[in-house]
Amino acid sequence: MIFSSYHFLVLYPYFLLTYYLYSNKNYQNFLLILFSIYFISYLHYKHFLVFLFFFVIFLFTVRFLHFLKNKVLIFGVSLIVITFLFFKTYSIFGLITINLITKDYYLFFPLAISFYVFQMIGGLIDTSRGDNTKTFSFKDYLLFFIFFPQLVAGPICRIKNLIPQFLVNRKLNKRNIFVGTNLILIGLFKKICIADNLHLFTDEVWSSPEQFSSSTVRLALFAYYIQFYADFSGYTDIGRGIARQLGIKIPINFTNPYFANNAVDF
């Protein structure tokens, strides 16, 4: 499921109304977990099963991290990375093989795997360093990793910054609704009006570049940079806006990436 889809845009307002029926953290967190599971499983239930597999590795590693810090950390991170690389390799190999034989393919690559994998690795490293002094519950960790507004396009959050926000009751706040709505509208404009329209132009050019002049190809290349920024930036704006409406603040993912001085700034 994507934020700009008709299905999500129709379903989300009902979820938001249900979310604020009771300003109780347990009730609200339960709804968030259910909706997030539905969100990640919408295209196929396998997406959630893959997430669950990585989540079990994380829980196992955190459970024993306090006893054998370095060895368990290395084991847990290595297992997560190896499994992640397996899915990357499997998907690429499956795409090439099936496409050559049947001229058609179904590519299964776990939704949002890059984001929650790196978030899990970051959580393990922070815990091993002592940044996370409190041990959280199973449902707290589950919500932290599967929280749908930041699941697909980030940003990658830290446990100490996000989980404490889940541990308080969230009341309906006009300021949060206003700021969140503005972010969502800005994000939808970037995604639908800019990125999706530019995609029509760039896709046409790249599908048969020999049929276009060199100036048109260069223009398509420039348009692609704008499309990429508007697509990713718009999607993260929508995610931040949704989170804000839910009473959760998540950080800005990136600002002016094409003017970054290095990869970290990007």
Side-chain angles (χ1 to χ4, degrees):
M1 187 186 299
I2 59 174
F3 295 144
S4 57
S5 67
Y6 174 80
H7 184 82
F8 180 83
L9 293 176
V10 170
L11 186 62
Y12 172 69
Y14 293 99
F15 168 76
L16 186 63
L17 290 173
T18 307
Y19 178 82
Y20 279 116
L21 282 178
Y22 301 100
S23 296
N24 178 276
K25 62 181 180 181
N26 294 324
Y27 166 79
Q28 292 173 325
N29 290 347
F30 178 72
L31 284 183
L32 282 176
I33 290 173
L34 284 183
F35 193 83
S36 296
I37 292 175
Y38 175 73
F39 186 88
I40 195 174
S41 306
Y42 178 73
L43 294 177
H44 204 290
Y45 71 91
K46 289 181 180 179
H47 294 290
F48 177 65
L49 294 182
V50 173
F51 166 83
L52 206 58
F53 177 79
F54 281 98
F55 183 61
V56 169
I57 297 175
F58 173 85
L59 288 179
F60 174 83
T61 307
V62 166
R63 175 66 179 81
F64 294 98
L65 199 57
H66 300 290
F67 303 102
L68 299 169
K69 184 175 295 186
N70 292 331
K71 292 182 180 179
V72 173
L73 176 64
I74 293 173
F75 173 79
V77 171
S78 299
L79 186 57
I80 289 174
V81 171
I82 290 171
T83 309
F84 172 72
L85 292 176
F86 165 77
F87 278 109
K88 294 280 284 188
T89 305
Y90 173 80
S91 296
I92 295 173
F93 178 76
L95 168 62
I96 296 174
T97 303
I98 299 175
N99 192 36
L100 288 175
I101 295 175
T102 66
K103 305 302 181 181
D104 194 11
Y105 62 87
Y106 171 72
L107 176 62
F108 172 74
F109 188 68
L111 180 68
I113 187 173
S114 297
F115 287 100
Y116 64 69
V117 160
F118 286 115
Q119 191 153 292
M120 288 179 184
I121 292 174
L124 291 176
I125 293 174
D126 283 348
T127 302
S128 68
R129 290 175 175 175
D131 291 347
N132 304 322
T133 56
K134 181 179 178 181
T135 301
F136 298 101
S137 67
F138 164 86
K139 64 179 181 180
D140 294 333
Y141 283 127
L142 177 60
L143 181 54
F144 170 70
F145 291 117
I146 205 173
F147 184 50
F148 74 91
Q150 55 98 53
L151 181 64
V152 176
I156 297 174
C157 300
R158 303 183 69 178
I159 290 175
K160 66 178 183 180
N161 294 333
L162 192 55
I163 289 186
Q165 297 187 64
F166 296 136
L167 302 181
V168 296
N169 300 329
R170 277 89 68 189
K171 296 182 180 181
L172 185 61
N173 183 288
K174 292 181 180 179
R175 174 68 178 172
N176 286 340
I177 297 296
F178 176 76
V179 173
T181 301
N182 283 341
L183 285 170
I184 291 172
L185 292 177
I186 292 171
L188 286 173
F189 177 78
K190 290 179 182 177
K191 177 72 176 66
I192 298 175
C193 298
I194 299 178
D196 289 354
N197 282 299
L198 285 177
H199 173 71
L200 298 176
F201 168 64
T202 57
D203 189 56
E204 181 182 1
V205 174
W206 297 130
S207 62
S208 53
E210 67 281 355
Q211 297 182 9
F212 296 89
S213 64
S214 58
S215 58
T216 303
V217 173
R218 285 194 295 269
L219 180 62
L221 179 62
F222 177 73
Y224 176 76
Y225 285 121
I226 300 176
Q227 173 195 328
F228 176 80
Y229 171 80
D231 197 6
F232 196 71
S233 173
Y235 207 84
T236 54
D237 283 344
I238 297 171
R240 289 178 58 233
I242 292 171
R244 186 64 182 265
Q245 287 187 336
L246 297 171
I248 305 296
K249 295 181 180 180
I250 55 179
I252 298 175
N253 203 351
F254 60 88
T255 54
N256 301 323
Y258 293 138
F259 296 97
N261 295 320
N262 51 56
V264 175
D265 288 340
F266 182 87

